[in-house]
Amino acid sequence: ERHQVRPAQISLAKRANVSLSTVRQFEKGHRTPIKNNIEAMLRVFEEAGMRMEFDEGGKPSSIRRVQRT
């Protein structure tokens, strides 16, 4: 089965300077990226007004839009 690549995945990969497969596998929950890649994606999310949340084990669990006041 072929999976469709969304433009947002391509944009995140380019802006964070990580591979597209890193983004896709992370979104699917198939793997946790290395620390440097998580930090790079976190920076991109924060620049876009979003926040990455982590579970009790320290693994990324979700992404939420930050409400601006």
Side-chain angles (χ1 to χ4, degrees):
E1 173 183 335
R2 292 185 55 89
H3 299 281
Q4 183 175 357
V5 176
R6 297 188 326 262
Q9 292 173 324
I10 295 169
S11 176
L12 173 58
K14 285 182 180 179
R15 292 178 62 200
N17 198 29
V18 300
S19 72
L20 181 57
S21 66
T22 294
V23 172
R24 292 184 72 204
Q25 290 179 11
F26 171 61
E27 285 186 354
K28 291 179 184 181
H30 292 173
R31 88 173 197 210
T32 300
I34 62 172
K35 183 180 178 190
N36 289 347
N37 288 350
I38 289 176
E39 289 172 349
M41 289 189 290
L42 180 61
R43 176 186 46 78
V44 172
F45 293 136
E46 288 175 349
E47 289 172 357
M50 302 179 88
R51 178 180 69 227
M52 187 183 298
E53 297 181 343
F54 297 85
D55 65 17
E56 293 176 3
K59 291 185 178 183
S61 62
S62 64
I63 300 165
R64 305 236 184 254
R65 183 164 300 282
V66 176
Q67 299 228 344
R68 302 196 190 257
T69 56

